Amino acid sequence: MISLRQHAISIAAIFLALAIGVVLGSSVLSDNLLSGLTDDKQDLQSQVHDLQSQVNAQNLQLQAADGFDSAVAGRVVGGTLTDRTVVVFTTPSAAPESVDAAVGLVAAAGGTVTGQVGLTEAFVTAQGADQLRATVTNVVPAGVQLSTGAVDPGSMGGDLLGAVLMLDPETAQPQSTPAERDLAMQTLRSGGFISYQDGTVEPGQLALVVTGTSDDGNKGPIVARFAAAMDTRGAGTVLAGDAGSAEGNGAVAVARSDAAISHHLSTVDNVERSAGQISTVLALREELEGRSGQFGVGPGAGALTVS
């Protein structure tokens, strides 16, 4: 007959054996698990390295293509804007280098930039909408009738600036007097809606609106409608943005999604690239001839560039 002491010793031995088995088993499992994780890590590192190599190769190809486009840009656009005049508008998100490159290519095409006007944060945000509407209403030149459909701040601002800074598309003559133009622009500048240097802005036949990568909140729609209103006042307008401007709530995206706007207004979504700058100048020429298009590589683009 087994005594209580012998029974206790047997139970203890069983538990000890189980404990030893668990330890030994977990040790083997741990080694296998670590070995598997190490192999997975090496595989992932190899994949990352391969992908990075592909990205680097594509970047080199893109830089080479951009360098080529830059080298031939002047020849491609040469003479397309001879004796034509362009007024340039910029938004707060526009990259200075994109603006400078586009302006330089307009000159290479034989065109003349008659002025550069900056739209401020107060202009492109809804916060100053009521004040902007009141300001525009108070400085409309005599004989100028704002569009009845221009009720939002972007459209009203574009309609007014178009009336004072765009030449009549039929006669190529100013649509307001110098005094009316100065009053409208100085009032908008005093209200904090635009910026420009005195004596540097004259009316032009065409308008170029340059914006940035994206415009959060209500900025995109305001800029798109501003450009659309400008387009109705002169021989044509091009809205050009950096990569990403054709996505989400970007100005180019908004313009392309509205058939009433995109039917007349040309857009470019890669103005930070030489190819986009070439497209911008060629699109200005197309506008002179009564044609419009959506150019670039983003959503809604109809072609890479003007054919």
Side-chain angles (χ1 to χ4, degrees):
M1 187 173 182
I2 302 174
S3 66
L4 181 61
R5 179 181 178 186
Q6 290 175 324
H7 185 66
I9 292 174
S10 298
I11 293 176
I14 292 172
F15 278 108
L16 179 59
L18 287 173
I20 293 173
V22 169
V23 171
L24 292 175
S26 63
S27 177
V28 174
L29 179 62
S30 177
D31 289 342
N32 291 335
L33 180 60
L34 288 175
S35 177
L37 290 175
T38 300
D39 291 341
D40 290 342
K41 180 180 179 181
Q42 290 174 345
D43 289 342
L44 288 174
Q45 288 176 336
S46 178
Q47 293 177 30
V48 170
H49 180 270
D50 291 342
L51 289 173
Q52 187 61 55
S53 297
Q54 294 176 24
V55 170
N56 292 339
Q58 290 175 352
N59 285 336
L60 288 174
Q61 293 176 4
L62 182 60
Q63 291 172 7
D66 206 39
F68 176 80
D69 291 338
S70 180
V72 302
R75 298 179 184 180
V76 174
V77 304
T80 56
L81 293 178
T82 299
D83 298 329
R84 304 298 185 175
T85 52
V86 182
V87 184
V88 177
F89 296 88
T90 62
T91 71
S93 64
E97 55 271 23
S98 296
V99 177
D100 292 343
V103 168
L105 205 54
V106 167
T112 300
V113 173
T114 59
Q116 187 169 316
V117 179
L119 306 181
T120 67
E121 284 288 341
F123 191 108
V124 301
T125 59
Q127 296 177 350
D130 292 337
Q131 184 184 351
L132 178 57
R133 289 191 188 95
T135 301
V136 169
T137 303
N138 290 332
V139 293
V140 177
V144 172
Q145 180 68 43
L146 294 184
S147 172
T148 56
V151 294
D152 62 275
S155 296
M156 291 184 69
D159 205 18
L160 173 64
L161 286 173
V164 299
L165 287 178
M166 298 293 285
L167 298 176
D168 187 288
E170 300 297 331
T171 65
Q173 297 298 313
Q175 303 179 63
S176 62
T177 67
E180 290 171 335
R181 180 174 69 249
D182 290 344
L183 174 62
M185 294 189 65
Q186 288 175 8
T187 303
L188 287 172
R189 184 172 62 180
S190 297
F193 297 112
I194 63 173
S195 62
Y196 66 94
Q197 294 182 355
D198 289 328
T200 63
V201 183
E202 296 290 336
Q205 294 170 288
L206 297 160
L208 170 58
V209 182
V210 184
T211 189
T213 300
S214 62
D215 296 294
D216 55 1
N218 202 40
K219 294 179 182 178
I222 290 176
V223 173
R225 290 165 188 156
F226 169 83
M230 291 290 303
D231 187 56
T232 65
R233 287 291 181 177
T237 298
V238 173
L239 171 61
D242 285 352
S245 60
E247 301 176 0
N249 212 33
V252 172
V254 173
R256 289 177 176 176
S257 66
D258 190 326
I261 294 178
S262 61
H263 184 66
H264 299 286
L265 177 72
S266 292
T267 62
V268 176
D269 62 41
N270 58 340
V271 74
E272 82 282 6
R273 296 288 182 184
S274 296
Q277 294 149 20
I278 293 173
S279 297
T280 298
V281 172
L282 296 180
L284 286 169
R285 177 66 192 188
E286 289 286 288
E287 287 284 332
L288 277 171
E289 298 176 356
R291 295 188 292 269
S292 60
Q294 318 307 316
F295 308 108
V297 296
L304 176 62
T305 190
V306 182
S307 61

